[in-house]
Every structure is written in C-alpha cells, then in structure tokens.
C-alpha cells in the first residue's frame, strides 16, 4: 500500500541516548513507560481474566447441564452471570484491544512510543486494583453483585455489601479506559510519521481511533449512571425511584446510552484486525479502504441513537419504539459494506489458511450470524417475543465470542511472531482454531432454539423440554473452555523458541505493506526514533 | 505544528507515581465503600488513600513541571498535552451530560407520566391519583416534606456574574503572559482564583439556605437533580480554582514564557468549561 524509506537494521543501529533497554528486574513491569511492555501487561492480564471469566461461565453451564438445581444455589448462579459479564467485558475484551493497540499502534503509525507514556502506565495499573475490588465482593456478606451486569435498579440496590465496591471499581475501570483512549487519540493525531495522512492509516489504527472517541464519549456517562445508583442507595436521592418523582426506566436509558456504543467498542477494533489479516493472507490490498473508514464512522455515529432497542419491552411510547427500530436496522447497511469488502478482498486472491486467517474467516462467518440474529432482535414486535430469552444470549455471544474474541485471537497469532521473533506452532494453532470453532457453535447455536422456544435467560433452572439442547451447549462450553489452553501453550512456546521470524513475518505483508513489518522481529525496544517517512 | 523525521519525541524511562496513584485510589474508593457499608475502618482507609493521592499528584505534577521548566518538552510534546487536555474536557462534558439527561428525562417524560400523561395513565390512576405537582416536584410521596425550590435571584444570578467575570479575568491574564507582561498575568490569575473561591463560598451559602428552607438532597427528584448537578459543578469549580492557584504560584515563581505556557492554558480551558456548564445549569436548573 505504501512505500517507506529506512530498514529494520537502520533503526537497530542508531543510538540516540533515548534507546535504553528495559529496566532490570521485576520492577521493569511496574514502572515501565514502554508501549510494548505495557501492551504485554494488558495482554497477559486479559488472558488471566479470560480464564477467570471462563471458569465462571463453566459454573453457569455446569448448573444448566440438566434441569433442576444441582451444583450451586440460585443466588450464587446470579452472581456468576453478573460477574462473568463484567469480567469478560471490562477485564478481557477491552484490555485485550488496548493491549493490541499499545503494541501495534506506535509501530503502525511510525511513532517512537505512545504519546503520553506515563499515563499509559497508569491506564494499565488501575486495572488489577479495580478488579481486586470487584472480585473481592464475591467473598463479602451477601456475595458479589447478582442483578446482572446492567445493574438495573431497584434490584441492583437490594444486594449485600457488594454495591459500592462494584460501583467504585466501575469508576476506576472507566478512568483507565478514558486515559487509554486519550492516549490512543493523541498518538494517532500527533505521532504519525511524516507523510502518513489519515487516509493512509492502516484500518486497525482507524478503527481504534473511532473506538477511542466512543470510549471517551460514553465511559463518563456510565460513571454518571452508577454514581446516581450510589446516591440512590446511600444518600437518599430518588433518580430511579418513582415515589420521589424519579423513574427506574431512566437508569436503563442512561445505562444503554453508554451500553450500546460500548458494544461497538467491543467489536470495532476486531473489524480493524480482520481488515489487516484478510488482505495479508489473500495477498491483495484491502478492497474498499475508503468505504471501510466511512462505514466504521457511520457505525460509530449510529451507535449513539439506537440505545433503546435494549428496552423495547419496557413500555416506551410507540414513536420511540419505531425510531429505535429503524435506526437499529440502519446499522446493517455499513456493517454489510464491511462484510462485502472482506469477501471482495478474498475474491480471486492467492489465499492461504494460516491460523490468523482461519480465525479471521471464522470471524467473518460467525460474526455475520450474530449480525443477522441482531437484525431479528431489532424488529420491535419480534423482540417482544425474544426479549430476555436465550435467543438474546445466543445473539450477543455470537458477536462477542466468535466475533470479538476470535478477532483478538486472530490478531495475537498474526503478530505473535513479530512480538517474540519466533513463529508459533502452526499445527497447534490450527487445532486451536478447529476445536474452538466446533465447540463454540456447539455451545451457542442451540441457544437460538431454546430461546425461540421461550427459555428465559439468567435462570438456574428450566423446563424439561429444553434439556437436550442445554446438555449440548454445556458440552460445547467445556470443549471451548479447555481448547483455550492451546492458546496459552502456543504463546508460551513462541516466547521460549521456535522457527525464527523475519521482519516481514508473512510473505503477504510485502503486498499489503505496513510500517510494523519494516522493523525487525522482535522489534527494538523503542520502535521508531527517528521516524520513517511515508511516501 | 511541523516536525520532521529527525525529531526525537521525549519518552520518559520510568514512572513510579502511577502505581502509587493506583494504591491511593484503591484505598480511597475501597475505604469509602467500606465506610458506606458501615465498617469502622472505612473512614481511616479513605483518609489514608486521599493522603496518598495528594502526595502522588504533587510528585507526578512536580516531575512534569520540572521537566517542562528544564526545556524537556518541545512543541511536538506540547501538542500531545493539548490533545490530551481537550479530550479530557470532552469526557467531563459527557459526565455532566448524564446528569443533565436525568434532569431532562425527569422533567419532560417521567414526571408527566406520573401525572397521568401518555402511557402513564394507569400508574397515575392506581398508585398516585392525588399527585398533581409538576416541576419542581419532590415526587408523589412528597419526599423530604418540603416544596421549597431555589429561584435564580439573587444568589445564583450573582454567581453567574462572578463566574462570567472570572472568565474575563483569566483571558486578561492570558493576554498578559502572551504579551510578556507578568504584572497583568499574575493579577489576572489572582482575580480569577479569588472569584472562583468566592463562587464556591456563595454556593455554600446557597446550600445552607436551601437546607434551612427544607430543600435537601433527599427532597425527591428536584432535590436530587438540583444538588447533584450544582454539587458536581461546584466540585469542578473547586478543582479548577486549585489548578489556577497552582498556576498563580508558578507565575509568581517566574514560570511560563510568552510562547510556552500550556499548563496555564489547560487550566484556563478547564475554567471556561466549568463556566459553560454553569450557564447550562443557570438556564435549566434555576430559570426554566
């Protein structure tokens, strides 16, 4: 796509006094300001939380293996559904994307590091503390939060000691996200290499640019919403209490004004990853680059005016139902543009199917399934039937697991040789993909059926006619969960050794270009200083 | 801003303050949560956390000020700070948007529904058919037993004049430093800080009067929105005035040059932001 001056070796040889290596000892990870170190911290944190959140999911699925109550009590089941969501959203998908952004954005735009390196350190180091507060509630009187991750009042106000801890941990996570997003925007706006105009930026950079804007716009709204919960619970305000003139539905509006852009925060960077990976392994430049940028921007804009489709059954005026139905369906247009462009990129390409490409292809197919079920849910009268059933669970897990998570895993395999300097074990990667794909469908596809048949979500027991599909889903869950150990093995193996990777890693990157491939594998501690010139 | 490929962007090597900040934040918020749950140790943890946060802020900003004064930052780094501050202010705007949204939703949707309009007919009929009070209201169950509400005259109006004047004085200070006249710069800053704290003082007087008349945080949706909006605004005015106070001390010490004084500009941007939020409050909370 672009031509660059400068080679990897040139950057290695220079010594500008700024080119210190990492600090010695474990303190390196605590005090680091280096984008690669911080990216690594984010990614390991995310992987750890992935296994914690996954264990919670397996507790849920174990309980649902058969009808009746056998393993956990219903209150603990509710804590698991709530915590599983909070951990997966704020502890896995978001940190993983920020980790990938930290590692790759400076290298992709030709920057020496992130624009605000000290704040970058704080963005990460808030996370473990915030999750310590949140997870500690599981051991408190009354247990963890159990009203669902959406924290709807009045139910969420009726728990035990967990409420203020959860609220403050959400405040901390919000601060971390906002600082991370500000850093990403400053890096993109200010640290691009000379000659790299906005419309020459790689798609992963573009999607993160837009995601960062969404984060800064909506994380403060979530902070405001949970602050109102806190004052309603402890200081006698009545935002969400009709007796004092407030309205519990108001919380849902404020929450989903955050919540809907949030779901695009969880998917847009994955769109960017897939838009990097498919061209490389199709050995063709991305089809429709400009339309990709505009489609992403349109999705971001629309995300602000669709929020009440999460609340069709709450009793809104008819005009509200119609408005939010039509705007929601409109999102299918730019999303369709994206899927069309990915398929067109592959059209007549010289395709090979290494692990990152497999996960990217899995993403395109299965994310689209989730998109179509979303289109079904967008229709108000139909949503009246599907609301709060397993159909909704199936829908958002299709866009989040074989969607966002597959996108992240594809990105990790794609850039792992760049990070470690070693290729991962391709056979292992392929096993990881196929096991994940088979089991993830076994896990989530039957949920469509039980949902359409009326099985409600967030209930530890169910009617016997749902037993077979639930048993299948539980088998799929355990298969998928244990298959993820292969990811850990592949990453550790690649760190310890393996076939040496060249600077360009994949032969397809010769065609698709990208500044990150002009650096050695692993890249120097400080990426580009001085900057390359993009022609 | 123009930079060539040969420029070297300043990347600090290590940072110890973020981790200390995380510890402080966790003590502060975890302690507050424990306090809200009635744990005796909560308040102590909270104060300890606050102390750690104050030390962290002095340490971190002290480091940055030192680097700035020793010429570490050039216009390239400066631009990152500008972008960072602008987007931080945008995030603050969105935080206030949540509370303004609550106010608008209550006034134009949920309270009319409680009065029986639109889809609220049955709620009104079966639960609170005697409820007739539109805005300001403390709800169908008369939370806090008081219907007092705060008019825009005289204190809020005086505060509006004070805040708008402080916007002028801070601009005067800005022109001072840009023209290299330290006298007007320091005097303008001093006046701004004084007006800022005067605003906070009058706000406290207003709150005292409100509580005396029976308008409390617990006075239904009107009290909730009134105190949360003006309270968070007052908190932000206090923060902005503290920022400007730091700038005042730095100005007296001879920091800043006519070309390079972004820390002052950042505080001034923040000051204009609290100014604009106040105008929104004055219009929607007090007048309408």
């Amino acid at each position: 796509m672009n031509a660059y001056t400068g080679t990897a070796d040139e950057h290695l040889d220079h010594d500008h006094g700024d080119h210190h290596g990492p600090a010695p000892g474990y303190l390196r990870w605590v005090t680091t300001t280096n984008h690669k170190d911080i990216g690594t911290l984010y990614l390991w944190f995310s992987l750890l939380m992935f296994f914690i959140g996954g264990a919670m999911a397996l507790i849920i699925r174990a309980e649902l293996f058969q009808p009746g109550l056998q393993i956990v009590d219903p209150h603990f089941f509710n804590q698991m559904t709530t915590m599983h969501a909070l951990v997966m959203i704020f502890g896995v998908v978001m940190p993983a994307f920020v980790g990938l952004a930290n590692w790759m954005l400076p290298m992709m735009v030709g920057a020496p590091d992130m624009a605000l390196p000290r704040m970058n350190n704080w963005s990460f180091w808030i996370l473990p503390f915030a999750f310590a507060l949140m997870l500690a509630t599981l051991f408190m009187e009354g247990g963890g939060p159990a009203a669902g991750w959406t924290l709807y009042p009045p139910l969420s106000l009726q728990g035990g000691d967990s409420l203020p801890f959860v609220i403050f941990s959400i405040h901390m996570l919000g601060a971390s996200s906002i600082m991370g997003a500000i850093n990403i925007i400053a890096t993109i706006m200010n640290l691009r290499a000379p000659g790299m105009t906005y419309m020459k930026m790689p798609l992963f950079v573009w999607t993160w640019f837009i995601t960062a804007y969404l984060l800064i716009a909506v994380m403060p709204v979530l902070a405001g919403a949970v602050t109102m919960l806190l004052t309603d619970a402890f200081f006698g305000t009545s935002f969400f209490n009709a007796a004092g003139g407030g309205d519990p539905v108001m919380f849902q509006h404020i929450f989903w004004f955050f919540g809907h852009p949030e779901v695009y925060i969880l998917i847009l960077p994955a769109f960017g990853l897939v838009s990097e990976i498919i061209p490389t392994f199709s050995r063709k430049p991305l089809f429709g680059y400009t339309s990709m940028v505009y489609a992403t921007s349109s999705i971001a804009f629309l995300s602000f005016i669709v929020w009440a489709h999460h609340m069709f059954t709450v009793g809104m005026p008819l005009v509200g139902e119609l408005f939010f139905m039509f705007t929601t369906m409109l999102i299918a247009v730019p999303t369709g543009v994206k899927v069309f462009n990915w398929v067109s990129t592959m059209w007549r390409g010289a395709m090979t199917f290494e692990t990152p490409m497999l996960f990217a292809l899995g993403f395109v197919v299965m994310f689209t399934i989730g998109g179509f079920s979303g289109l079904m849910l967008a229709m108000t009268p139909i949503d009246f039937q599907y609301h709060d059933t397993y159909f909704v669970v199936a829908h958002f897990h299709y866009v989040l697991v074989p969607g966002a998570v597959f996108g992240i895993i594809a990105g990790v395999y794609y850039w792992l040789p760049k990070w470690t300097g070693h290729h991962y074990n391709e056979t292992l990667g392929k096993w990881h993909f196929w096991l994940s794909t088979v089991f993830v469908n076994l896990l989530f596809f039957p949920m469509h059926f039980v949902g359409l048949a009326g099985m409600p979500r967030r209930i530890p027991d169910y009617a016997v006619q749902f037993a077979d599909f639930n048993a299948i889903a539980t088998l799929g869950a355990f298969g998928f969960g244990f298959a993820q150990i292969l990811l850990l093995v592949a990453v550790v193996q690649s760190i310890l050794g393996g076939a040496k990777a060249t600077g360009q890693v994949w032969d397809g990157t010769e065609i698709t270009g990208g500044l990150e491939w002009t650096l050695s594998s692993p890249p120097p501690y400080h990426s580009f200083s001085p900057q390359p010139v993009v022609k | 801003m123009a930079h060539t490929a040969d420029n070297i962007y300043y990347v600090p090597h290590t940072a110890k303050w973020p981790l200390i900040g995380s510890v402080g934040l966790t003590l502060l918020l975890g302690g507050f949560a424990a306090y809200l749950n009635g744990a005796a140790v909560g308040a102590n943890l909270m104060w300890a956390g606050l102390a750690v946060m104050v030390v962290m802020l002095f340490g971190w900003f002290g480091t940055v000020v030192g680097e700035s004064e020793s010429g570490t930052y050039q216009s390239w780094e400066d631009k990152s700070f500008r972008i960072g501050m602008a987007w931080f202010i945008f995030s603050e705007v969105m935080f206030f948007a949540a509370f303004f949204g609550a106010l608008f939703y209550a006034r134009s949707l949920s309270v009319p529904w409680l009065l029986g309009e639109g889809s609220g007919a049955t709620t009104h009929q079966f639960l609170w058919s005697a409820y007739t009070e539109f805005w300001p209201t403390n709800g169908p169950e008369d939370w806090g037993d008081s219907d007092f509400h705060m008019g825009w005259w005289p204190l809020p109006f005086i505060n509006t004049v004070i805040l708008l004047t402080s916007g002028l004085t801070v601009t005067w200070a800005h022109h001072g430093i840009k023209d290299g006249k330290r006298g007007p710069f320091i005097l303008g800053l001093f006046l701004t800080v004084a007006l800022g704290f005067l605003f906070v003082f009058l706000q406290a007087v207003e709150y005292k009067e409100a509580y005396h008349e029976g308008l409390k945080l617990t006075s239904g949706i009107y009290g909730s929105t009134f105190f949360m909006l003006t309270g968070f605004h007052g908190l932000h005015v206090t923060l902005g005035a503290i920022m400007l106070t730091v700038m005042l001390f730095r100005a007296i010490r001879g920091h800043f040059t006519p070309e390079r004084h972004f820390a002052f500009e950042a505080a001034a941007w923040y000051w204009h932001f609290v100014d604009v939020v106040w105008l929104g409050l004055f219009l929607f909370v007090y007048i309408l």
Side-chain angles (χ1 to χ4, degrees):
Chain A
M1 199 157 61
N2 303 316
Y4 311 105
T5 60
T7 65
D9 291 333
E10 253 177 56
H11 295 293
L12 277 177
D13 291 343
H14 281 209
D15 190 354
H16 284 277
D18 254 347
H19 281 203
H20 293 279
Y26 290 110
L27 214 55
R28 163 187 178 182
W29 300 103
V30 177
T31 63
T32 184
T33 54
N34 181 276
H35 73 100
K36 299 188 185 78
D37 285 353
I38 295 170
T40 303
L41 286 169
Y42 264 111
L43 288 168
W44 277 114
F45 178 78
S46 166
L47 190 62
L48 173 68
M49 297 306 284
F50 188 47
F51 286 114
I52 292 175
M56 291 172 177
L58 293 186
I59 292 171
I60 294 168
R61 282 317 315 173
E63 175 58 48
L64 292 171
F65 183 59
Q66 291 182 323
L69 299 173
Q70 37 268 325
I71 299 174
V72 293
D73 76 43
H75 182 57
F76 187 71
F77 182 90
N78 290 342
Q79 293 173 41
M80 287 295 102
T81 55
T82 305
M83 277 296 203
H84 164 71
L86 289 168
V87 167
M88 287 300 192
I89 292 167
F90 294 106
V92 178
V93 176
M94 289 167 73
F97 281 145
V98 183
L100 291 171
N102 253 296
W103 248 103
M104 300 314 297
L105 249 46
M107 283 160 48
M108 293 175 113
V109 301
D113 205 294
M114 296 293 279
L116 301 159
R118 289 194 183 102
M119 196 171 79
N120 201 14
N121 177 299
W122 207 23
S123 304
F124 172 76
W125 275 107
I126 285 177
L127 283 183
F129 288 87
F131 270 100
L133 278 188
M134 188 183 281
L135 292 172
T137 62
L138 287 171
F139 306 99
M140 288 176 187
E141 207 172 304
W149 81 280
T150 54
L151 302 169
Y152 282 5
L155 187 60
S156 66
L157 304 179
Q158 294 162 4
D161 283 353
S162 65
L163 183 70
F165 287 96
V166 172
I167 286 175
F168 289 138
S169 77
I170 288 174
H171 280 134
M172 290 170 72
L173 294 169
S176 158
S177 294
I178 291 168
M179 287 192 285
I182 288 175
N183 217 336
I184 284 165
I185 287 187
T187 306
I188 295 172
M189 290 179 75
N190 196 28
L191 264 61
R192 276 171 296 129
M196 180 172 280
T197 58
Y198 280 110
M199 292 312 275
K200 278 186 188 168
M201 294 194 310
L203 240 284
F204 182 62
V205 179
W206 252 116
T207 51
W208 240 120
F209 194 28
I210 293 165
T211 304
Y213 161 71
L214 290 180
L215 276 168
I216 300 174
V218 301
M219 292 310 288
V221 176
L222 175 66
V226 296
T227 303
M228 288 182 236
L229 275 185
L230 186 82
T231 58
D232 266 19
F234 295 102
F235 298 98
T237 58
S238 59
F239 287 105
F240 310 131
N241 190 329
D247 188 349
V249 175
M250 179 160 82
F251 176 84
Q252 301 186 21
H253 279 291
I254 301 172
F255 179 85
W256 287 112
F257 183 84
F258 144 79
H260 202 78
E262 169 70 16
V263 308
Y264 292 105
I265 289 164
L266 300 173
I267 200 67
L268 290 185
F271 286 173
L273 291 165
V274 169
S275 305
E276 299 292 329
I277 292 165
I278 288 178
T280 296
F281 296 98
S282 305
R283 291 164 185 78
K284 272 177 68 191
L286 183 70
F287 182 89
Y289 171 89
T290 312
S291 66
M292 282 300 213
V293 172
Y294 286 116
T296 313
S297 311
S298 314
I299 292 173
F301 167 74
L302 288 171
S303 75
F304 285 102
I305 53 169
V306 298
W307 75 86
H309 66 214
H310 296 268
M311 337 163 20
F312 279 145
T313 60
V314 88
M316 273 188 298
L318 182 63
V319 62
E321 308 268 6
L322 289 173
F323 174 80
F324 288 109
M325 173 169 78
F326 290 131
T327 51
T328 302
M329 295 173 89
L330 219 50
I331 294 183
V333 177
T335 313
V337 168
K338 287 188 156 292
V339 175
F340 179 86
N341 285 347
W342 290 323
V343 175
S344 301
T345 304
M346 290 183 266
W347 178 253
R348 306 188 73 172
M351 291 168 73
T352 52
F353 299 93
E354 286 86 349
T355 308
M357 182 61 164
L358 288 174
F359 275 100
L361 291 175
F363 173 96
V364 174
V365 173
M366 289 183 277
F367 172 80
T368 306
I369 292 175
F372 280 131
S373 58
L375 212 49
M376 293 166 73
L377 289 163
M379 292 179 260
T380 309
I382 293 177
D383 183 75
F384 274 38
Q385 292 289 317
Y386 300 165
H387 186 85
D388 262 350
T389 67
Y390 258 83
F391 190 79
V392 177
V393 179
H395 157 68
F396 69 73
H397 279 94
Y398 259 92
V399 291
L400 282 174
V401 185
V405 172
F406 267 39
I408 291 164
I409 293 172
V412 167
Y413 278 113
Y414 185 52
W415 284 317
L416 198 54
K418 169 59 64 182
W419 300 337
T420 64
H422 305 289
H423 279 282
Y424 58 87
N425 181 337
E426 192 61 58
T427 313
L428 192 69
K430 289 204 164 93
W431 270 99
H432 178 214
F433 169 74
W434 285 110
L435 288 174
S436 295
T437 302
V438 168
F439 283 122
V440 87
N441 283 291
L442 216 52
L443 165 57
F444 294 122
F445 211 81
M447 291 184 184
H448 291 114
F449 307 139
V450 292
L452 291 178
M455 179 171 161
R457 61 190 284 208
R458 290 173 172 158
I459 304 278
D461 188 9
Y462 51 84
V464 285
Q465 72 262 34
F466 304 129
D468 291 349
F469 282 135
N470 270 290
I472 294 170
T474 298
L475 291 177
F478 278 83
F480 180 78
F482 284 101
Q484 302 319 305
I485 292 170
L486 298 184
L487 173 65
L488 179 65
V489 173
V491 171
V492 171
Q493 276 185 349
S494 160
I495 291 170
L496 296 179
K500 287 257 180 264
T502 60
Q504 72 170 57
V505 182
W506 312 102
D507 59 9
T509 60
E510 206 169 313
I511 295 157
T512 54
L515 284 174
E516 73 270 35
W517 310 114
T518 66
L519 294 172
S520 56
S521 300
Y525 194 59
H526 291 281
S527 299
F528 285 105
S529 193
Q531 292 191 291
V533 176
V534 180
K535 286 181 183 147
Chain B
M1 199 275 322
H3 68 270
T4 63
D6 296 328
N7 279 11
I8 301 296
Y9 190 85
Y10 173 66
V11 179
H13 293 139
T14 57
K16 62 180 171 180
W17 295 111
L19 187 78
I20 295 169
S22 288
V23 172
L25 201 57
T26 308
L27 285 173
L28 177 67
L29 294 177
F32 191 22
Y35 168 78
L36 290 174
N37 283 330
V41 70
N44 294 332
L45 288 178
M46 227 172 108
W47 291 118
L50 190 66
V52 174
M53 287 297 282
V54 169
V55 170
M56 181 276 286
L57 288 171
F58 267 94
W60 193 333
F61 280 113
T63 308
V64 175
V65 169
E67 285 173 350
S68 175
E69 286 303 305
S70 62
T72 308
Y73 305 131
Q74 304 303 318
S75 61
W76 195 10
E77 290 84 2
D78 192 69
K79 195 182 173 195
S80 290
F81 296 150
R82 285 168 192 276
I83 293 168
M85 190 68 195
W87 285 88
F88 169 65
I89 289 175
F90 174 57
S91 81
E92 292 271 49
V93 169
M94 292 309 292
F95 181 75
F96 276 97
F99 290 90
F100 273 108
L103 175 69
F104 298 153
Y105 185 88
R107 283 188 66 157
S108 41
L109 293 172
S110 65
V111 170
W113 288 338
L114 287 172
L115 289 163
E117 274 181 28
S119 54
T122 46
T123 312
H124 183 74
Q125 186 185 343
F126 293 116
L127 280 178
W128 293 299
S129 58
Y131 178 55
T132 54
E133 179 186 51
F134 189 59
W135 198 264
T137 179
N138 54 359
E141 293 189 0
D142 200 24
W143 278 35
D145 293 326
S146 165
D147 288 331
F148 180 79
H149 72 276
M150 196 53 80
W152 62 272
W153 182 265
L155 269 185
F157 180 77
I158 295 170
N159 259 350
T160 307
V161 174
I162 288 173
L163 219 47
L164 288 178
T165 311
S166 76
L168 292 178
T169 54
V170 81
T171 305
W172 184 48
H174 193 189
H175 281 289
I177 184 68
K178 279 207 287 194
D179 297 342
K181 295 175 187 154
R182 201 154 283 268
F185 179 45
I186 291 173
L187 184 61
L189 261 174
F190 175 77
L191 288 174
T192 311
V193 169
L195 288 167
F197 284 114
L198 181 62
F199 175 94
V200 176
F201 172 73
L202 290 180
Q203 192 75 12
V205 172
E206 187 195 348
Y207 276 14
K208 201 179 161 207
E209 185 192 324
Y211 266 73
H212 183 72
E213 298 286 345
L215 174 63
K216 301 186 173 75
L217 184 60
T218 51
S219 304
I221 190 66
Y222 175 72
S224 304
T225 51
F226 174 81
F227 281 107
M228 292 296 278
L229 273 164
T230 57
F232 270 119
H233 177 262
L235 190 67
H236 282 76
V237 173
T238 311
L239 285 175
I242 291 171
M243 287 184 205
L244 287 168
T245 307
V246 174
M247 299 310 143
L248 177 61
F249 282 116
R250 288 187 63 189
I252 293 169
R253 276 197 181 184
H255 290 194
F256 306 123
T257 65
E259 295 81 29
R260 306 186 47 75
H261 45 264
F262 176 64
F264 162 75
E265 284 180 288
W269 290 357
Y270 198 80
W271 197 249
H272 290 308
F273 148 72
V274 298
D275 214 354
V276 170
V277 171
W278 175 259
L279 289 180
L281 285 177
F282 189 59
L283 183 63
F284 292 113
V285 175
Y286 290 100
I287 294 183
L288 293 179

